[in-house]
Amino acid sequence: YILDKNLILNQQTMVREQWYWATLRLTLGLMFLWAFLDKTFGWGFATKPAGAWLNGGSPTLGFLKFGVTGPFADFYHTIAGSPLVDWLFMLGLLGIGLALTLGVAIRFASWCGLVMVLLMYSALIPPKNNPFIDEHILEAVSFIGLIVTSSAPGEVLGLGKWWKQLGLIQKFHWLQ
């Protein structure tokens, strides 16, 4: 009886963990997808309609030119508004956002997201409200959690099971 009870408790814990990781994955995915959509269409939240990417605006110019502080400011000022940087940034937002929202290529998308948020963190050293930690560090820790978890975060509220069965994904495991 005790063994059966422990097995049930372990299964319940696994289910809760899977739902937690799925919720975190969806939250991060929708955050990145929203940033892509707002910068593309200028819905007036972080990007005004006149500054939309589709209206010829640069999604990196304003922040990299005027918002960056710290030891890497000169580097970020030199790449501000570069079409290559704009495209890489926007493709990163879209790819990470779609992958995490759909529950596919989670580890790959999480590695990309980790790099992106650490670059964003490096653009604001030191952070405004704390000498070490800001939301980018919290996002980085979340991405690391998605990379190392064994809870299959794409299988709950996502297409992870289907994705893992694709021949290409089975051949290239790093795309899981």
Side-chain angles (χ1 to χ4, degrees):
Y1 171 75
I2 293 173
L3 184 59
D4 290 343
K5 187 175 180 181
N6 286 340
L7 182 62
I8 291 169
L9 290 174
N10 286 339
Q11 288 173 338
Q12 290 173 341
T13 300
M14 277 182 37
V15 168
R16 284 193 304 267
E17 287 175 4
Q18 288 175 339
W19 278 92
Y20 169 80
W21 289 111
T23 303
L24 181 67
R25 168 187 60 80
L26 281 167
T27 303
L28 285 169
L30 291 171
M31 183 179 74
F32 274 72
L33 198 53
W34 177 262
F36 169 80
L37 293 170
D38 187 47
K39 290 178 185 323
T40 299
F41 299 107
W43 287 342
F45 290 87
T47 306
K48 303 288 184 234
W53 199 28
L54 287 179
N55 290 336
S58 167
T60 64
L61 179 65
F63 174 72
L64 292 181
K65 191 101 173 156
F66 306 109
V68 174
T69 60
F72 304 111
D74 289 341
F75 166 73
Y76 285 116
H77 291 162
T78 62
I79 64 170
S82 160
L84 176 63
V85 173
D86 286 346
W87 274 94
L88 288 173
F89 178 65
M90 293 299 283
L91 287 175
L93 290 176
L94 178 62
I96 294 163
L98 281 176
L100 294 180
T101 301
L102 296 175
V104 299
I106 294 169
R107 285 202 172 89
F108 179 70
S110 294
W111 277 108
C112 294
L114 177 62
V115 169
M116 184 178 275
V117 298
L118 290 176
L119 286 169
M120 289 180 196
Y121 176 81
S122 74
L124 296 170
I125 297 175
K128 285 184 181 180
N129 299 317
N130 182 307
F132 307 107
I133 297 173
D134 70 358
E135 67 275 7
H136 298 104
I137 296 300
L138 297 175
E139 293 163 359
V141 170
S142 298
F143 280 124
I144 291 168
L146 287 171
I147 291 166
V148 303
T149 187
S150 61
S151 290
E155 294 180 13
V156 174
L157 299 174
L159 303 174
K161 280 185 183 177
W162 168 79
W163 180 258
K164 289 179 182 178
Q165 293 173 357
L166 296 175
L168 181 68
I169 306 311
Q170 290 179 353
K171 186 174 180 180
F172 299 104
H173 292 282
W174 59 271
L175 285 173
Q176 289 185 5

